[in-house]
Amino acid sequence: MIDIALAFDDGFWAPAYASMRSVCLTTKHPERLRFHLLTLGLSAEHRAAIDSIGTDHGAALNHIALDDQGLFGDRIASFPTIRMRRFRPVIYARLFMGELLPADIERVLYLDSDIFVRSPIEQLFHIDMGGKAIAAALQPDRLHCISGTDLRTRNAFSMAEPYFNSGVMLIDMAQYRGVDFAAMLRDSLPQSEIDMFYYDQDIINFAFKGRILELGYRWNLQNPEPAHEILDPHILHYSANPKPWFIWSRVAFKRTYRHLMTNRYFYQYRRERMAGLLRRWLRLA
């Protein structure tokens, strides 16, 4: 069994569907896939679309509704406050996978919902992790992520050490379950330093310093542009603001992605996003 986890809210249902479908289409054994879906506010209509992944490809789906888990109140109160619109509190759900996923899972692949998998996922899932807790790819703009404005020195990180993107992570769950992220931060750093963290990604890099295996960039090619198609990436990660579902974006494999999401859901999602933007504009007007 290949266990894969995603965490998303109702605003990202269609990209999550596309990410899951990309895994199913490119694996040799979709019936061996088991998706663990940490969802927040997922509507019945959107859940039905997600559930079609199981019907169409034979993959197993484990829905874990976060609405009643109590994770987004006191449990994340000490974590950095979400200040950027493109991030949502649900990104912190991955820090609670140790308690949310079935206890018998030994290894899980975590994927963000802006992912396009282009190679058989088993090639990644079964690698030798060499005793490391996590396998992940480097963050290309890691110096800025670590130090921010004017590359100021921070106590929690050194620019001389590797720093990893948290959008694609192969996780040894025994080691992951052994970390209480909130307690670890509280016992290690002042709140003023924690408030500077780049959300879950900084927390994971800090908690597992020295215990992350570096993956090749083709397993998490971030912010891919059309010129990057020649690199034949295994996993595309549309990690920057240009997303493949934006009309104006110029990203790698944009046309293929539309059909990955399917025309039906691609245009439905676009209409929903436009309606949401209109509602926000009317509230501000």
Side-chain angles (χ1 to χ4, degrees):
M1 189 66 71
I2 295 177
D3 289 292
I4 301 172
L6 294 88
F8 57 96
D9 62 19
D10 200 49
F12 253 69
W13 70 273
Y17 168 87
S19 296
M20 296 166 65
R21 189 164 184 252
S22 72
V23 177
C24 292
L25 290 173
T26 55
T27 185
K28 297 176 182 178
H29 299 285
E31 75 281 358
R32 297 180 185 174
L33 300 174
R34 180 168 58 176
F35 291 100
H36 304 274
L37 308 177
L38 285 61
T39 60
L40 186 64
L42 192 63
S43 73
E45 178 188 7
H46 296 159
R47 173 167 173 159
I50 296 291
D51 285 344
S52 70
I53 293 290
T55 304
D56 294 343
H57 301 284
L61 274 61
N62 173 27
H63 284 276
I64 303 173
L66 301 173
D67 306 73
D68 300 321
Q69 297 285 343
L71 296 182
F72 300 106
D74 293 341
R75 297 290 298 276
I76 67 168
S78 62
F79 293 165
T81 302
I82 303 295
R83 294 180 295 272
M84 300 172 67
R85 180 173 291 179
R86 67 190 182 97
F87 293 116
R88 305 162 186 262
V90 74
I91 64 173
Y92 285 132
R94 75 192 77 182
L95 301 180
F96 300 99
M97 287 192 296
E99 63 187 80
L100 294 172
L101 299 188
D104 61 341
I105 293 179
E106 297 179 357
R107 178 179 287 197
V108 69
L109 177 64
Y110 175 85
L111 298 176
D112 272 354
S113 297
D114 49 1
I115 290 288
F116 180 179
V117 176
R118 300 181 61 255
S119 295
I121 205 65
E122 50 267 36
Q123 296 177 5
L124 171 60
F125 191 82
H126 295 298
I127 66 169
D128 181 0
M129 294 176 65
K132 300 289 189 180
I134 293 173
L138 291 172
Q139 176 78 29
D141 58 341
R142 52 192 172 275
L143 296 186
H144 183 262
C145 284
I146 291 169
S147 301
T149 304
D150 295 336
L151 303 185
R152 303 290 187 186
T153 300
R154 289 171 58 192
N155 295 327
F157 300 101
S158 167
M159 286 186 280
E161 296 173 344
Y163 177 90
F164 300 90
N165 182 268
S166 63
V168 177
M169 297 187 295
L170 185 61
I171 301 171
D172 180 306
M173 288 303 292
Q175 297 188 59
Y176 203 80
R177 292 187 187 99
V179 177
D180 181 331
F181 292 98
M184 177 273 304
L185 290 176
R186 184 175 60 250
D187 295 343
S188 304
L189 296 168
Q191 189 63 45
S192 58
E193 176 77 14
I194 297 171
D195 290 340
M196 296 173 62
F197 268 38
Y198 188 68
Y199 311 124
D200 64 293
Q201 185 164 284
D202 268 11
I203 294 172
I204 288 170
N205 273 273
F206 183 74
F208 293 102
K209 180 180 177 180
R211 292 195 285 160
I212 302 180
L213 174 70
E214 181 181 337
L215 294 175
Y217 68 87
R218 291 176 69 201
W219 282 115
N220 184 359
L221 184 62
Q222 298 154 58
N223 193 20
E225 299 182 2
H228 295 139
E229 294 178 4
I230 193 64
L231 300 175
D232 191 24
H234 301 310
I235 296 179
L236 294 158
H237 184 185
Y238 302 104
S239 50
N241 278 326
K243 304 294 187 184
W245 53 86
F246 292 169
I247 296 175
W248 53 266
S249 66
R250 187 174 181 274
V251 298
F253 298 104
K254 181 177 180 178
R255 182 178 180 184
T256 306
Y257 183 91
R258 188 189 79 197
H259 294 291
L260 175 67
M261 188 180 282
T262 73
N263 276 329
R264 174 187 176 184
Y265 292 142
F266 183 86
Y267 290 110
Q268 176 184 342
Y269 186 57
R270 179 176 287 180
R271 289 193 300 270
E272 290 176 359
R273 287 182 55 85
M274 291 301 296
L277 289 172
L278 179 60
R279 287 193 296 269
R280 285 198 293 271
W281 181 81
L282 290 173
R283 285 197 298 268
L284 293 174

